[in-house]
Amino acid sequence: MDYSLFFKQSLEEIKQNGNYREFAHIKREVGQLPKAKIFRNNQWSDITIWCSNDYLGMGHNNQVIKAFNHAASESGTGAGGTRNISGNNHYHIELEKELSSWYKKDSALLFTSGYVANLTALATLGSKLPNCVILSDELNHNSMIAGIKYSKAEKIIFKHNDLSDLEEKLRTQPINRPKIVAFESVYSMSADIAPIKEICELAKKYNALTYLDEVHAVGMYGTTGSGVAEKVNCLDMVDVIQGTLGKAIGVIGGYITAKSELVDFIRSFGQGFIFTTSLPPAIAAAATTSIRILKESSNLRIKHQQNASYLKSLLKKNNISYIDEASHIVPVMIGDSVLCKQTSDMLLDTYGIYVQPINYPTVAKGTERLRFTPSPYHTKEDMDYLISAIKATLNEYKIAS
Ligand SMILES: Cc1ncc(COP(=O)(O)O)c(C=O)c1O
């Protein structure tokens, strides 16, 4: 086997069909959001970021940075071990308490990322519950798909957010067979929101556990910001809530929260929890501070939603087609991978607008899109400018809007 040839040919193939990923070389500067600098064509230039998942800018919040610095000076940089072997720090414990009380659950458990949380929790539940079957929304994130696959449990895919399809599939299963319904609240690429309450009611009717990924809602929905389940007042109906500290919380890490016996079970059997170094204590301290700020005030959440609505109203007024859903995410459909890359390049090179093209395998082929994430820090002028840039770019590439 000519290994190098194989790697090169595989890369050439994705380059040809527009799916080769080029990372933007960015420098974010505290106090400047959503402005940043990009290194391109051998020089630094100014850009406005339009695709960050630091949705509320908490990664640049001064109190969060202060908490991070304080804990790092006190406890050092790394945790020094797994949670079991010397890596269980005061800041981890404090953060887990903060998380479980945020979701009104007994316990919470930290992981090194949201991805690892999904992978580990679903793999553990699916493999340990005897003869378990997992019903998974067809648009679930790769981390859930990976967890289900790793569990080797039977998987049944139900149509996206489709209650009757879910019920039909639940009905075929013996009532006493262990079942998990795995789904998300805010779907980050299609921007829509799951009917959480109704899914939980169905799950209960058929004796299934519910597993909800709130990754794109954490910090942004509900009176204290824990997510959509809080907003629709059904925290107590969801068995396992999973989330990330890497998006609106502004740091990195993931978690699950649930009844104490379930959390203790994942803590005791979950390989992606047991066999890895725990999060740096300073990260945990920064996350706790960020959550406390977001719990205390809804100001950022309100401004965030206002900006998302304003951007959508501008798109509508200018007849630019986008996916109009209830969340803060604003996808503008392009429908072709090469065009998606070209439009994103033109927005960057001509207008200083940074929006990463979203291509396969993140979304299905033919549904390529530009995914805009307005923050509370984008001004009306930023949004007006964005619209004129999108219009000109779509015209240039003759993309019907
Ligand atoms: C729905 C969903 N779940 C989980 C994850 C993984 O979270 P993290 O970035 O913390 O690994 C992502 C990441 O984008 C996601 O979109």
Side-chain angles (χ1 to χ4, degrees):
M1 169 106 193
D2 184 337
Y3 295 105
S4 285
L5 183 68
F6 173 79
F7 298 140
K8 283 180 188 160
Q9 278 175 344
S10 306
L11 291 168
E12 196 47 45
E13 205 176 297
I14 54 171
K15 279 180 189 165
Q16 288 301 323
N17 60 30
N19 290 326
Y20 184 70
R21 290 164 181 221
E22 280 170 31
F23 297 157
H25 179 165
I26 314 172
K27 211 193 288 178
R28 298 205 310 164
E29 286 163 338
V30 173
Q32 302 301 316
L33 286 181
K35 310 287 176 197
K37 300 221 177 294
I38 196 162
F39 192 73
R40 207 164 149 84
N41 307 323
N42 270 328
Q43 59 182 14
W44 287 102
S45 47
D46 295 328
I47 52 165
T48 304
I49 301 183
W50 273 105
C51 55
S52 177
N53 282 343
D54 184 358
Y55 291 119
L56 302 176
M58 295 306 284
H60 285 197
N61 178 286
N62 283 328
Q63 282 168 266
V64 176
I65 297 171
K66 206 166 146 193
F68 180 89
N69 287 338
H70 174 78
S73 335
E74 188 190 272
S75 296
T77 49
T82 63
R83 286 292 288 277
N84 189 40
I85 306 175
S86 93
N88 185 33
N89 196 280
H90 159 72
Y91 290 111
H92 298 129
I93 297 163
E94 197 179 27
L95 175 55
E96 284 175 344
K97 278 194 191 137
E98 192 67 46
L99 285 165
S100 57
S101 91
W102 206 17
Y103 291 94
K104 300 189 170 58
K105 300 280 182 202
D106 300 339
S107 303
L109 192 67
L110 289 170
F111 297 83
T112 42
S113 70
Y115 194 103
V116 175
N118 272 338
L119 176 64
T120 306
L122 283 167
T124 310
L125 292 170
S127 62
K128 297 283 180 194
L129 286 166
N131 191 29
C132 182
V133 53
I134 303 181
L135 294 100
S136 174
D137 186 287
E138 68 178 327
L139 291 191
N140 273 346
H141 186 255
N142 177 276
S143 51
M144 280 198 270
I145 296 169
I148 296 167
K149 198 168 178 183
Y150 196 70
S151 79
K152 299 198 170 80
E154 185 188 345
K155 171 167 87 168
I156 298 177
I157 295 173
F158 62 93
K159 287 187 195 144
H160 178 52
N161 280 348
D162 187 328
L163 292 168
S164 42
D165 191 51
L166 174 61
E167 175 148 34
E168 214 169 277
K169 285 169 173 156
L170 278 166
R171 200 183 291 125
T172 61
Q173 295 300 317
I175 195 76
N176 285 327
R177 181 176 186 189
K179 298 175 252 337
I180 301 168
V181 178
F183 63 113
E184 301 179 23
S185 57
V186 172
Y187 285 83
S188 79
M189 294 301 154
S190 52
D192 53 343
I193 296 182
I196 302 178
K197 235 181 202 169
E198 292 77 3
I199 290 179
C200 290
E201 277 161 6
L202 273 184
K204 198 163 196 118
K205 182 171 165 192
Y206 292 95
N207 199 18
L209 282 177
T210 43
Y211 183 100
L212 174 64
D213 173 320
E214 286 262 32
V215 159
H216 291 276
V218 174
M220 292 173 286
Y221 294 86
T223 313
T224 71
S226 74
V228 181
E230 181 191 354
K231 185 179 174 203
V232 299
N233 202 17
C234 68
L235 280 171
D236 58 335
M237 294 172 78
V238 189
D239 294 302
V240 185
I241 295 182
Q242 177 272 357
T244 184
L245 305 168
K247 301 192 193 292
I249 305 303
V251 281
I252 191 167
Y255 56 89
I256 58 158
T257 183
K259 278 191 178 157
S260 54
E261 60 274 19
L262 192 149
V263 172
D264 200 17
F265 184 82
I266 305 290
R267 188 186 75 87
S268 306
F269 294 101
Q271 300 183 10
F273 173 80
I274 296 171
F275 295 104
T276 191
T277 303
S278 56
L279 284 173
I283 291 288
T288 304
T289 300
S290 180
I291 291 168
R292 285 179 184 159
I293 294 168
L294 292 172
K295 271 166 88 170
E296 241 164 59
S297 161
S298 290
N299 289 347
L300 279 175
R301 275 187 287 285
I302 292 166
K303 184 79 180 115
H304 184 222
Q305 291 296 330
Q306 283 170 346
N307 278 357
S309 300
Y310 182 69
L311 181 60
K312 289 181 201 180
S313 73
L314 286 182
L315 287 164
K316 206 172 277 172
K317 207 163 91 191
N318 286 276
N319 293 319
I320 299 169
S321 70
Y322 67 101
I323 304 182
D324 189 7
E325 290 289 349
S327 78
H328 57 283
I329 296 164
V330 188
V332 170
M333 299 305 284
I334 302 294
D336 177 89
S337 56
V338 175
L339 272 180
C340 201
K341 171 89 174 70
Q342 286 170 335
T343 48
S344 142
D345 281 346
M346 180 169 167
L347 284 168
L348 186 58
D349 292 331
T350 313
Y351 301 100
I353 285 166
Y354 171 46
V355 60
Q356 196 68 26
I358 307 288
N359 284 353
Y360 178 82
T362 306
V363 293
K365 287 178 184 165
T367 70
E368 292 80 3
R369 63 202 69 181
L370 300 172
R371 173 185 178 271
F372 295 94
T373 53
S375 74
Y377 300 99
H378 288 92
T379 61
K380 284 202 161 157
E381 291 70 38
D382 288 331
M383 291 189 261
D384 294 340
Y385 177 70
L386 173 69
I387 293 295
S388 54
I390 296 177
K391 267 174 87 169
T393 305
L394 295 183
N395 274 341
E396 176 70 23
Y397 286 100
K398 301 192 173 33
I399 297 167
S401 59

